[in-house]
Amino acid sequence: MPEQSLTIIIPALNAARSLAATLAACAEACAETVVVDGGSRDGTPDLARRLGVRVLEGAPGRGQQLAAGAAAAAGDWLLFLHADTRPAPGWALAVRAFMGDPVNAARAAYFAFALDDPSPQARRLERLVAWRCRMLGLPYGDQGLLLSRALYDRVGGFRPLPLMEDVDLVRRLGRRRLVGLPVPAVTSAERWRREGGYRRS
């Protein structure tokens, strides 16, 4: 079976502070990477281009940004990733292994949730998210989502929703088609600190 190609799709809006670290982590896969900018005013598109990444620009709205990225992607597999989320070292090997198993053509995968915050509250939130994924089958977008283009098209892809577009797609996939990868994706805790961890979750 020939090796499957991967496209990483990152929606962004005023993400210059976090995007460089995310793109550095993505480089581990040596895969096509597409940043879909929703009208940033902080130089996000220019930063991505300087780092050698393809940029699409359009209106804000994460659902439609993700859909635009998928439509432009060349990969057999799609990895959707938030601009402030960095897969931990070794992630590309786990992703390639998942992609290489024919059984997974009909399944989707997500990373374990982690925050870049040493506080006990952050660890409690990580445990809460792990419980949510295990019991409810509801990983969120800050855990990434990996699936074949064929499966993405079959379930109808991302809808143009301004919020909860990740939950909408995951529910259409169904918990039986979701698999947790043994690698964390580390998300910036800035928004959790600003908005309050439990309220945001």
Side-chain angles (χ1 to χ4, degrees), residues 79-126:
L79 173 60
F80 300 98
L81 197 65
H82 285 185
D84 62 352
T85 298
R86 308 180 309 277
W91 74 268
L93 188 62
V95 162
R96 293 290 181 189
F98 185 87
M99 290 165 49
D101 186 340
V103 171
N104 293 329
R107 302 200 290 183
Y110 58 90
F111 296 109
F113 176 75
L115 289 170
D116 63 351
D117 185 328
S119 71
Q121 185 187 35
R123 302 293 80 76
R124 287 194 294 270
L125 280 170
E126 290 166 359

Side-chain angles (χ1 to χ4, degrees), residues 130-181:
W131 177 88
R132 187 188 70 213
C133 293
R134 184 173 62 253
M135 301 303 293
L136 304 179
L138 279 179
Y140 286 179
D142 47 21
Q143 294 173 258
L145 187 67
L146 171 71
L147 70 169
S148 69
R149 173 177 288 283
L151 177 57
Y152 175 84
D153 290 341
R154 191 155 64 244
V155 298
F158 279 104
R159 293 169 174 162
L161 303 174
L163 291 172
M164 305 304 284
E165 76 295 328
D166 46 1
V167 173
D168 174 68
L169 178 56
V170 162
R171 282 178 170 163
R172 279 181 280 131
L173 285 165
R175 63 185 303 171
R176 292 185 179 181
R177 288 195 284 199
L178 293 166
V179 179
L181 295 173

